[in-house]
Amino acid sequence: MADSWQRTCKYVDHAKPPARPAVLKHLKPFRRLRSPAATKHQAKQQAVLGHIAVLATASASATETAPVHQCAVADNVLPSETFPYGQHSNEALSYLRSLTIRNFALVEEQHVVFRPGLNVITGESGAGKSVLVEAFGQVLGMTARDNCIRQPASSASVEAHFHLLPTHHAVLVDLTSAFGMPAGVLTHPASRPQGELCLRREFTTVDGSVRSRCYVNGIATSLRVLREIGSSLVDVNGQHAALSIRDSVTQLALLDRVAGTSGLVASFAAGVQSLRQMEQQLADIASLGDEEEREELQDMITEVQQSRLQPGEERQLRVMLRQLESRRSSVERAGLVHLAVMGEGGIGGVLQGVRALEGHVNAILAEEEAHAGLTAADSEEDEGEDGEAGLGSDADTLESISLIEESLEELAQARSLLKAADNKVGVYARKHRYLQQEHDDAAHRLHVVERLLKQYACTTSTELLTAVAEAEADLDKWYQMEGQEEELQQQLAAQQQQLREAATQLSLQRRAAGKKLKTAVESCLAQLAMEGCEFEVDIAWRKSQKASALHMPQELCELAGQDSDSGAAYALGSTGLDQVQFMLGAGPGEPLRPLAEVASGGESARLMLALKAAPAVMTTGDGQRIDNLAAASQAVSPPLMILDELDSGVGSRLGRAIGQLLRRMTRGSTQPAQTSQILCVSHLPQVAAYADSHLCVRKTRDPGGRIQTTIAALDSVNDSAQEIAAMLEVTDFETLGECLSTLQVCALCKAMQHML
């Protein structure tokens, strides 16, 4: 390494080689390229080493003499400028270009630009890093919270722009066509570059709850379509995703992704569905093969149709009978009231008594009037003797007559009220009349309906009518398929044979991928401080006695590497015959056990990271990189991966190894089966140092004093170094300067790995 340093300094015209900077002491000597064809690469190597020498020397001197804000040395040789991403331009990759957020959660308005490769999102706890991930999740079809709109705004929006390769574009064209969207929804108009995709979701508040509208390239669509598009573009791994690898379904999905068998699995699932339909058809034919059973069905259909049964009729009849019986006593009492008021035949009622009272009062009135006449005559005879003798008697007589007349008026009113009351009671009785014949008819109809329900083991008339409709359909189907049983049997046998061959092929590819995955995962685990751990992909077929099981001949079992008895039957699912279980030996000599039994939280996080990184580090025997073990299947995996604090359970000691793995996962491939962009939320400064794009999330206050979340892109080495220093709790200028120079040298070295 000393000779390399001397030659490097000579290359950059140092008269006397300076002291070798301490930042280079960890750099491994570069391999000398002896091939004649390597002359061009040697020149590039010397150029890069020259950049490193200048940068390291200048950084060291700047650190000693200048404050940290003046340490922006050699910004013009950053990897994002001098060395393009990997070996390809951005247009040769599928990736998320930008995300625009308005009035969502704590974000007022932010436009965030992303780059291909590793995008690391850092910030203090509670600053809102997960808000950025959640906002992105909205355009991927995730469920929106009721309080997602930032007050006092009444609406919010999230918009994401993607650049897509033709392979991913073709997948989305097929997907949108399957959902009946217009054929041109993904074609590019003059205003949109080719390969561009815009997903937008708008939120509004309606009656206290949030409603959303979804758009694909400006065309309205459903949340389901948005969710399907998101799942084909993005592999989302939330904060608890590490625990999901303990689930066998997740393990099988990971293995299929590595094996490149996702397309084969989809075809296999369609084949299994077709097989089940054939089995159901044969079962229907067999179930109606008995002539006596068909006659019973026909008898049921005929009897129910003749009864003219109506849906819910038994319930209506029961309600009618209850009403008739409950009103029966009331109507009878109404008759008694009428009898009491009017009497029988108009004789003996209260109304007749009132009339008799009126007659007596009228008689009293007549007597009083006669008495008044006599009193008046006597008064005239005595008028000459004493003019005031009859005044008192006249007054008493007039008062008595007045009282009797008032009582007559009140009796007339009482007679009128009694008639009115009797009329109202009569109206009530007529409205709720009780006819015995009506009651008997309803009771008889209910008896007929209940007999039918009991006869055909149904609880409601609706259920019985449904059974009749199904019986009619079954009979029609049987008459249509009569004579086709033999043909269906042949089709079933052919379908079973196809599934046997497909299941064998699936198992072979998965077992081959499992061996490669074992090597790759163990390699990644060694980098993540789990040396000596043994990883194994256990693939087995489970025997089954069910009718839905698939019989496998011994030769196919042996071909797939499955121990089997001759003619054994195995459980068949939509993903094949394979029952996949990831096994882990937690240390040297430890037995292999299922992950759910041995993996702790930290181990689960490292295993998840190793499994995600495995496709990027898997190599063939001659050291050549492979991205798809089943290249013929042309599997297309999501180009974008989200890792939301996946490293939270790992610890800072493994930060460098995690950063290296994440960076390696996105490097140097345009294959559609490989991830080209990672959005990683992390608290580890080492991971941030390996970022192609470093985003910092901060919580600030707007002019009105309200808290808001802002996302800033740290494009310069100075900004990134200061954020990493803050993550390391470095505050003095000297240490921060060393962080800056180290970060610059590391950035150049990482870029050089893809240039040489």
Side-chain angles (χ1 to χ4, degrees), residues 305-633:
Q305 288 179 345
Q306 289 178 350
S307 69
R308 298 186 179 183
L309 183 66
Q310 299 298 320
E313 185 176 357
E314 77 286 355
R315 182 180 59 82
Q316 296 175 0
L317 289 171
R318 292 190 184 106
V319 171
M320 179 180 177
L321 286 172
R322 282 197 300 269
Q323 290 178 348
L324 286 174
E325 292 171 357
S326 64
R327 302 284 188 180
R328 180 176 182 176
S329 61
S330 299
V331 173
E332 290 176 351
R333 291 182 182 277
L336 294 176
V337 170
H338 176 72
L339 184 63
V341 173
M342 303 302 296
E344 185 174 358
I347 301 173
V350 175
L351 197 59
Q352 184 180 8
V354 173
R355 290 194 186 99
L357 291 176
E358 285 181 320
H360 292 304
V361 174
N362 280 323
I364 295 173
L365 179 60
E367 291 177 356
E368 283 295 327
E369 289 176 346
H371 178 70
L374 293 175
T375 303
D378 293 339
S379 297
E380 290 177 358
E381 292 178 356
D382 297 336
E383 183 176 357
E385 298 176 1
D386 187 359
E388 297 180 356
L391 292 178
S393 298
D394 292 341
D396 290 341
T397 301
L398 292 175
E399 182 179 359
S400 298
I401 292 174
S402 176
L403 290 174
I404 297 303
E405 288 177 346
E406 289 177 0
S407 63
L408 278 174
E409 291 177 359
E410 290 174 352
L411 284 172
Q413 290 178 1
R415 179 162 48 83
S416 177
L417 289 174
L418 282 172
K419 287 182 178 180
D422 180 64
N423 288 335
K424 291 179 179 178
V425 172
V427 171
Y428 170 84
R430 289 189 295 273
K431 181 179 179 181
H432 302 290
R433 71 186 184 282
Y434 175 83
L435 298 177
Q436 187 64 41
Q437 184 62 40
E438 185 179 5
H439 180 275
D440 294 343
D441 291 344
H444 176 71
R445 180 61 179 175
L446 181 60
H447 174 73
V448 171
V449 173
E450 288 179 340
R451 180 183 59 80
L452 287 173
L453 296 178
K454 183 177 181 181
Q455 180 178 351
Y456 297 109
C458 295
T459 56
T460 64
S461 56
T462 302
E463 183 181 351
L464 179 56
L465 290 172
T466 302
V468 169
E470 291 175 353
E472 289 179 324
D474 290 341
L475 286 176
D476 291 341
K477 187 186 301 181
W478 187 88
Y479 289 124
Q480 291 175 5
M481 294 188 301
E482 186 180 9
Q484 299 180 6
E485 183 175 4
E486 184 177 353
E487 182 181 355
L488 282 173
Q489 290 284 5
Q490 294 175 355
Q491 293 177 1
L492 179 67
Q495 185 68 18
Q496 288 175 336
Q497 183 59 29
Q498 291 180 5
L499 289 177
R500 289 189 187 99
E501 296 173 358
T504 303
Q505 182 65 24
L506 259 177
S507 189
L508 283 171
Q509 293 188 21
R510 285 168 175 167
R511 292 171 195 267
K515 295 177 181 179
K516 297 290 184 180
L517 184 62
K518 167 184 169 65
T519 303
V521 169
E522 288 179 351
S523 173
C524 294
L525 290 178
Q527 299 178 52
L528 297 173
M530 292 182 69
E531 300 90 344
C533 290
E534 184 179 0
F535 177 80
E536 190 70 46
V537 180
D538 180 63
I539 302 176
W541 296 352
R542 180 169 55 84
K543 292 183 179 181
S544 175
Q545 301 297 326
K546 295 183 178 180
S548 60
L550 185 64
H551 291 267
M552 294 293 291
Q554 190 168 2
E555 57 270 18
L556 288 181
C557 294
E558 293 175 354
L559 178 62
Q562 173 69 33
D563 296 334
S564 172
D565 300 330
S566 179
Y570 298 92
L572 176 65
S574 60
T575 57
L577 298 174
D578 297 324
Q579 306 290 322
V580 175
Q581 184 74 263
F582 288 174
M583 312 290 287
L584 180 68
E590 292 293 327
L592 289 169
R593 296 179 179 175
L595 294 187
E597 298 179 8
V598 296
S600 63
E603 289 173 336
S604 296
R606 282 179 279 181
L607 277 167
M608 172 63 85
L609 184 58
L611 288 166
K612 294 293 182 181
V617 300
M618 291 172 65
T619 58
T620 59
D622 59 358
Q624 294 180 351
R625 177 190 176 97
I626 60 172
D627 298 299
N628 194 337
L629 290 174
S633 67

Side-chain angles (χ1 to χ4, degrees), residues 67-73 75 78 81 115 120 122-123 685 688-689 691 693-698 711-728 730 736-737 739-741 743-744:
V68 66
H69 64 273
Q70 297 177 355
C71 293
V73 182
D75 277 354
L78 288 179
E81 300 172 6
R115 297 176 183 173
V120 178
T122 62
S693 175
H694 189 176
L695 302 172
C696 182
V697 180
R698 299 185 178 96
I711 302 105
L714 307 181
D715 294 327
S716 69
V717 174
N718 265 346
D719 294 338
S720 184
Q722 291 187 37
E723 171 63 14
I724 293 174
M727 297 171 71
L728 292 168
V730 173
L736 181 56
C739 290
L740 174 61
S741 59
L743 179 64
Q744 290 174 316

Side-chain angles (χ1 to χ4, degrees), residues 146 204-211:
D146 285 339
T204 55
T205 303
V206 179
D207 297 332
S209 60
V210 172
R211 298 289 184 269

Side-chain angles (χ1 to χ4, degrees), residues 67-125:
V68 66
H69 64 273
Q70 297 177 355
C71 293
V73 182
D75 277 354
N76 60 323
V77 293
L78 288 179
S80 60
E81 300 172 6
T82 305
F83 309 108
Y85 166 80
Q87 298 174 356
H88 309 278
S89 68
N90 292 352
E91 300 305 317
L93 300 164
S94 293
Y95 68 101
L96 172 66
R97 283 186 180 274
S98 64
L99 187 69
T100 303
I101 310 170
R102 294 185 178 89
N103 297 322
F104 184 85
L106 295 177
V107 179
E108 183 174 2
E109 183 169 359
Q110 289 285 297
H111 179 73
V112 188
V113 178
F114 299 92
R115 297 176 183 173
L118 179 58
N119 294 256
V120 178
I121 304 166
T122 62
E124 296 181 355
S125 296

